[in-house]
Amino acid sequence: DFVDHMTSSQTGKKKEMMIFAIVYLVSGLISTVLQNSYVALAFLPVLKSIARKNRISLSKLVLFVIFATTLGGAITLIGTPTNVYANTALEEAGLQLFGMLDFAWVGIPIFIVGGIYMIVMNRWCASYDDFGEETEEKALTSGQRRKQMVVGITFLVFVAALVLKSLKVISIDPNFIGYAMIAVAVLTTVVTPKEALESLDSQMILFCAGINLMIAVMNQSGLGQVFGDMIINIIGESKNLYLITAVLCIGASIATSFMNNMACAGMLAPVGISMGANPQAIVLAIAIGAGCSFLTPIASGTNQTMMIFTKLKFQDFAKFGWPLLIISWILCIAILPQVFPFF
């Protein structure tokens, strides 16, 4: 309804661009305080409604939100698991940790420039006929509205748990709160136990299991150490801050295209710390590169999870994501050495 109100005076391409601008800002900004995968999933019902009412491809909106939440989440320490994993590497090494907004020096410029590209060039985003002959959303019955209210309340409770956990106000794992909210949905007959079980799509389970197996193999095979040694050999004895930033950021972004971004950050950060330069600068460059999960659906948990709800193909990510990769490289190389010198 908010999107409809904001775009009611617009028509045609201007209205569509306005819709993408609103979706980008709202989902991206929320991702600065909540992990991007949670935000993308939470937006799915909203995206379905927007897609039906405005005859926009749901797949297109989902891919758009995947990238929006990825860029927004990169602004803060808690916005994406990649940053959290990078911070954990510092903690395990007994080094000074990142502050909440240390990533913002590079994250905000990337979010702004990347957003301009995505909104203006949204036509590059893959579009599919997700609804077939269905032309409009049916009016909700009183029973459906009650279910909608229960789902809304349980989701807000889950979001509140995530925020309070991030702020260290509570020590309870938010996942337990999430399970409790699922139980509430079943007990209030929003869904039946059978529907809850049937919602576990077998293809999604197999897809995620395959990705996790691949990550485990990479971790145990020492591939991360091999890739880290390659980066160190390329840099050599150079003290050029821009060269070091470029090698670390670009190297991590290439690696994350073939593995989960959390695994990438977790494997490469310890290797970077051993280089002897400012560990925060090293790990930040790696985290930014690892967060560039734009080229493949296997590059992040958000990509993997959300792709299941769409008709997106493997190449659709690269087609819309490669300019975001270039934008991230340029801004990271230009800004990071100025705010986090390596020596």
Side-chain angles (χ1 to χ4, degrees):
D1 291 338
F2 171 75
V3 172
D4 289 340
H5 174 73
M6 293 296 293
T7 61
S8 59
S9 61
Q10 304 291 333
T11 58
K13 292 186 179 297
K14 287 185 178 180
K15 180 178 181 179
E16 186 168 304
M17 188 174 293
M18 180 67 73
I19 289 173
F20 281 104
I22 294 171
V23 169
Y24 181 82
L25 288 173
V26 175
S27 62
L29 292 177
I30 293 177
S31 292
T32 63
V33 294
L34 291 175
Q35 284 194 12
N36 56 341
S37 56
Y38 296 139
V39 177
L41 276 171
F43 262 71
L44 189 58
V46 178
L47 298 180
K48 287 182 178 179
S49 177
I50 294 173
R52 285 194 183 97
K53 290 180 178 179
N54 297 279
R55 301 306 299 167
I56 297 174
S57 167
L58 175 61
S59 298
K60 180 176 182 176
L61 277 171
V62 169
L63 182 57
F64 193 88
V65 166
I66 288 173
F67 288 168
T69 55
T70 298
L71 292 174
I75 294 175
T76 64
L77 175 63
I78 64 173
T80 172
T82 310
N83 294 355
V84 175
Y85 269 64
N87 204 43
T88 300
L90 292 175
E91 184 178 18
E92 291 176 348
L95 301 170
Q96 182 180 350
L97 303 181
F98 289 119
M100 179 65 73
L101 296 177
D102 281 346
F103 293 87
W105 291 99
V106 180
I108 290 178
I110 293 176
F111 181 74
I112 293 172
V113 179
I116 293 172
Y117 153 70
M118 286 177 59
I119 294 166
V120 173
M121 303 302 296
N122 71 79
R123 64 182 180 276
W124 286 8
C125 196
S127 181
Y128 295 93
D129 182 8
D130 298 281
F131 300 111
E133 298 300 319
E134 184 180 352
T135 58
E136 62 180 18
E137 192 172 16
K138 297 179 181 179
L140 297 176
T141 64
S142 58
Q144 289 172 324
R145 290 188 180 279
R146 182 186 67 81
K147 291 182 178 182
Q148 190 179 60
M149 181 181 69
V150 173
V151 171
I153 292 173
T154 55
F155 173 71
L156 289 176
V157 171
F158 179 59
V159 169
L162 290 170
V163 173
L164 293 175
K165 177 65 175 179
S166 299
L167 298 176
K168 298 183 179 180
V169 175
I170 62 174
S171 57
I172 302 174
D173 188 335
N175 288 322
F176 288 115
I177 302 294
Y179 299 143
M181 294 303 99
I182 293 174
V184 169
V186 173
L187 292 173
T188 55
T189 68
V190 170
V191 294
T192 65
K194 182 179 179 180
E195 287 173 335
L197 291 174
E198 288 177 347
S199 67
L200 298 175
D201 186 86
S202 59
Q203 289 186 349
M204 180 176 71
I205 294 173
L206 292 173
F207 183 81
C208 293
I211 294 300
N212 289 332
L213 177 61
M214 183 186 71
I215 293 170
V217 170
M218 286 183 166
N219 276 316
Q220 295 176 13
S221 66
L223 183 59
Q225 183 66 44
V226 172
F227 195 83
D229 291 341
M230 289 173 57
I231 291 177
I232 293 174
N233 290 333
I234 293 172
I235 294 174
E237 299 298 324
S238 175
K239 301 295 183 181
N240 186 304
L241 304 185
Y242 297 99
L243 173 63
I244 296 173
T245 305
V247 172
L248 290 172
C249 182
I250 294 174
S253 64
I254 292 173
T256 203
S257 297
F258 303 99
M259 68 177 77
N260 183 281
N261 53 1
M262 292 182 289
C264 180
M267 288 192 299
L268 295 184
V271 178
I273 290 173
S274 66
M275 291 175 60
N278 178 358
Q280 282 194 314
I282 292 285
V283 173
L284 190 53
I286 290 173
I288 293 171
C292 292
S293 50
F294 306 123
L295 297 186
T296 66
I298 65 174
S300 79
T302 307
N303 296 9
Q304 298 159 19
T305 303
M306 298 302 293
M307 186 179 181
I308 303 299
F309 304 104
T310 71
K311 295 182 179 180
L312 293 172
K313 296 180 175 61
F314 198 97
Q315 64 270 23
D316 293 333
F317 285 80
K319 181 180 178 181
F320 191 50
W322 71 264
L324 292 175
L325 194 64
I326 303 300
I327 290 169
S328 298
W329 287 351
I330 293 174
L331 292 177
C332 179
I333 295 168
I335 298 172
L336 185 57
Q338 306 300 321
V339 293
F340 280 93
F342 287 85
F343 304 100

